[in-house]
Amino acid sequence: VVIAIMGTITGVVIAKYRDYGTNARLANASENIIFAIRSAQQYGVAVRGSSGCTGGTTTFDCSFGVNFSKATPNTLTVFADNNNNGLYDSGEAVQVETWAAPVAVTVLTCDGGSCADGGGNNGNGADVMNITFKRPNPTAIIHDGSATVFTVGTISISNGTRTQIITVTKTGQISLQ
């Protein structure tokens, strides 16, 4: 009887351990995304300059932002918006974050609709979202691959069984559901 009880408990623990690992990777990726957005906000508002900044008179006049693309669903890019167009362009990367599969960005929405690239940002037609911050305001400037500015952007990430949604508003508020 004792051996049967121990076998049952061990089976339950092993089954739950696999779910725990997958869910922990999802939670980790969610926190990494929030941290990257907060870092870009901090860089853009107060403390970081960019030597490649051509959009202003000093190295502190450039925006900083985070780029998400469905073409690379396991990656985000923190960038210095050196030309102040609000979009991630080649050569502007400051930091690249990657998380392991099966965790991936599954949906990007701008004001409740698709964040379409339209060939403007990286030309691959995949959904794209750029969130930038510029001194002296902590407000978020949310773009898709075009010059359109949105008021709310959401990033949905999933591990195949669970989904978490990160929402960024133009006021700079970031929330996790």
Side-chain angles (χ1 to χ4, degrees):
V1 171
V2 170
I3 291 173
I5 291 171
M6 293 299 289
T8 303
I9 291 172
T10 302
V12 169
V13 168
I14 289 172
K16 291 295 180 182
Y17 180 75
R18 290 182 189 174
D19 288 344
Y20 172 78
T22 303
N23 291 336
R25 284 190 291 277
L26 179 65
N28 225 4
S30 299
E31 293 301 323
N32 285 345
I33 290 170
I34 292 169
F35 181 73
I37 296 169
R38 284 279 181 232
S39 294
Q41 187 177 36
Q42 184 179 15
Y43 294 162
V45 172
V47 298
R48 188 162 182 164
S50 174
S51 60
C53 183
T54 60
T57 57
T58 73
T59 60
F60 293 96
D61 285 340
C62 284
S63 303
F64 280 82
V66 180
N67 170 268
F68 300 93
S69 174
K70 291 276 299 286
T72 54
N74 299 55
T75 304
L76 67 82
T77 305
V78 177
F79 65 96
D81 189 16
N82 291 328
N83 58 6
N84 280 322
N85 66 353
L87 308 174
Y88 170 64
D89 299 309
S90 179
E92 292 182 334
V94 172
Q95 173 185 348
V96 177
E97 286 283 332
T98 304
W99 48 90
V103 177
V105 172
T106 54
V107 179
L108 296 171
T109 60
C110 296
D111 287 347
S114 176
C115 295
D117 176 28
N121 191 7
N122 55 17
N124 64 15
D127 288 355
V128 172
M129 180 187 298
N130 298 283
I131 304 167
T132 57
F133 300 92
K134 182 165 176 60
R135 288 177 66 191
N137 300 317
T139 58
I141 304 162
I142 304 165
H143 290 278
D144 56 6
S146 69
T148 306
V149 177
F150 298 95
T151 57
V152 177
T154 59
I155 303 115
S156 298
I157 62 170
S158 176
N159 63 6
T161 56
R162 288 186 57 216
T163 300
Q164 292 195 319
I165 300 170
I166 297 136
T167 303
V168 181
T169 65
K170 76 175 189 174
T171 61
Q173 182 181 12
I174 304 165
S175 63
L176 173 65
Q177 298 173 350

